[in-house]
Amino acid sequence: KTPDLISVSKEVVIANAIIAILTIGGQQLFSFFTFSCPCHVGQNLVYGLAFLGVPALILLIVGYALNNQTWRLVTGKRSPLEGQTTPNRLLQCKLVCFVLCSITGRALVAPVTWLAVTLINGSYYVCAVSEYVPVHYYEANPNITASERRRILAAFPCSQLVPPELTRARDEVILLLRYQSQVAGWLLIAVVVITVFLSYCLASCFSPLSFLHFRYWSNYVHNEQELFDEATDQHSRLYAMQHVRKFFGFVPGSENVKEIRIPSLREWQAISGLAFLKRVDAEHYDYSLLHDWALKESKCRMEECDMYRLYEHFTCGK
């Protein structure tokens, strides 16, 4: 079992690494082609924070949306078998918290990478807070108004807008802001790494399973999901083939097709249009219009057979 367990953990690490690399590449391209600081009072902060926060928020939402566990948690219902036993509310809450933490941890890979890379790059931070630099970094007439000072400081991210006599002051301000931004970026990385490490340690300490038992359980869940996905694909394909065969008289790939079925106009109309999930009874759904037609066709044939048997019964009786 050990090679399989190692491969499972490697898959997670490789997936997170790919997400991080793609995020870094996307951030570099995004900055190169789209970012252009307005260098205007009041607009720098909004523009810089938007480029810092909005992509990170979008990546977080996408991370939640692409995780199958999210939809299992949202759409999952309590099993009917649980009604036969007394529900353990505390255990259910722990399970939900564990799943939420797992989902959130994976969803945070891309946004945290985005924030760390953008802070280490420094361009967004410089644009956002340039107009709020302390006054002693500004070498100019002290009698200048505060609004004029903020206007000039807001132009510092754009070198072409800075007067020549303020070039040295601009360089000092940019260096200061990049220093602050890069320190914040590395602190963010350190906090995330320590938090992840402590989370794994706490989860292992409070886990009811031993180390090898936990690895076996992880491997079992992984293999079960793979086998279930394969069976789901094969089962749905075979089930769909039954309905296609009923409509056309054969299925694609069949050899020695001797007879085909010509659907009527009414049947073509029955399977055309928009398909909605339709509940048939308390336990079953119709998955498509073709599925609905096939079930109704089978029901009609059964009724015809019953009528024919009834007719034969009365005929023989006479």
Side-chain angles (χ1 to χ4, degrees), residues 39 44 130 150-159 161-162 170:
C39 298
N44 285 13
S130 61
R150 286 187 61 186
R151 183 187 67 81
I152 297 176
L153 287 172
F156 274 13
C158 303
S159 58
L161 300 180
V162 180
R170 174 194 176 273

Side-chain angles (χ1 to χ4, degrees), residues 10-246:
K10 283 184 177 180
E11 286 178 3
V12 176
V13 173
I14 292 173
N16 291 336
I18 291 175
I19 292 173
I21 292 172
L22 291 176
T23 304
I24 293 172
Q27 192 275 336
Q28 296 296 324
L29 293 174
F30 197 68
S31 300
F32 182 78
F33 288 106
T34 63
F35 184 77
S36 179
C37 187
C39 298
H40 192 276
V41 177
Q43 297 180 2
N44 285 13
L45 180 63
V46 176
Y47 191 80
L49 292 181
F51 271 75
L52 267 172
V54 173
L57 179 61
I58 294 174
L59 290 172
L60 178 64
I61 295 174
V62 171
Y64 276 113
L66 294 181
N67 195 320
N68 291 332
Q69 293 293 335
T70 302
W71 305 113
R72 177 172 292 186
L73 187 64
V74 172
T75 61
K77 298 180 180 179
R78 200 176 71 172
S79 171
L81 298 177
E82 293 182 7
Q84 303 173 4
T85 59
T86 303
N88 190 331
R89 300 296 181 185
L90 180 59
L91 183 60
Q92 290 179 355
C93 292
K94 287 182 178 180
L95 179 60
V96 171
C97 291
F98 175 78
V99 174
L100 279 176
C101 291
S102 176
I103 295 171
T104 302
R106 293 190 178 185
L108 283 174
V109 173
V112 167
T113 303
W114 175 275
L115 290 175
V117 172
T118 52
L119 287 173
I120 292 175
N121 178 274
S123 300
Y124 300 169
Y125 181 84
V126 169
C127 177
V129 302
S130 61
E131 60 185 279
Y132 302 101
V133 175
V135 178
H136 62 273
Y137 284 100
Y138 179 67
E139 299 177 357
N141 187 354
N143 297 324
I144 194 171
T145 62
S147 59
E148 183 67 15
R149 183 181 298 112
R150 286 187 61 186
R151 183 187 67 81
I152 297 176
L153 287 172
F156 274 13
C158 303
S159 58
Q160 68 274 15
L161 300 180
V162 180
E165 63 272 15
L166 296 177
T167 301
R168 180 178 178 182
R170 174 194 176 273
D171 294 340
E172 292 180 359
V173 168
I174 298 300
L175 286 175
L176 171 69
L177 296 179
R178 286 190 179 277
Y179 156 77
Q180 295 175 351
S181 180
Q182 291 176 355
V183 168
W186 284 113
L187 285 176
L188 175 63
I189 294 174
V191 168
V192 170
V193 171
I194 294 173
T195 302
V196 171
F197 175 74
L198 292 178
S199 299
Y200 275 107
C201 290
L202 291 174
S204 300
C205 289
F206 290 100
S207 174
L209 304 179
S210 63
F211 175 70
L212 294 178
H213 196 178
F214 179 80
R215 294 178 67 181
Y216 173 82
W217 171 64
S218 301
N219 192 39
Y220 170 82
V221 172
H222 175 76
N223 290 331
E224 181 189 73
Q225 188 62 48
E226 281 191 346
L227 294 172
F228 184 83
D229 290 340
E230 293 176 5
T232 300
D233 179 70
Q234 185 175 358
H235 184 280
S236 59
R237 184 175 181 83
L238 293 173
Y239 194 39
M241 286 173 62
Q242 294 180 9
H243 302 149
V244 172
R245 181 185 293 112
K246 188 171 294 184

Side-chain angles (χ1 to χ4, degrees), residues 278-293:
K278 178 182 176 183
R279 188 165 187 171
V280 180
D281 52 40
E283 300 293 336
H284 301 93
Y285 286 89
D286 282 347
Y287 301 122
S288 67
L289 295 178
L290 179 60
H291 184 200
D292 182 54
W293 172 87

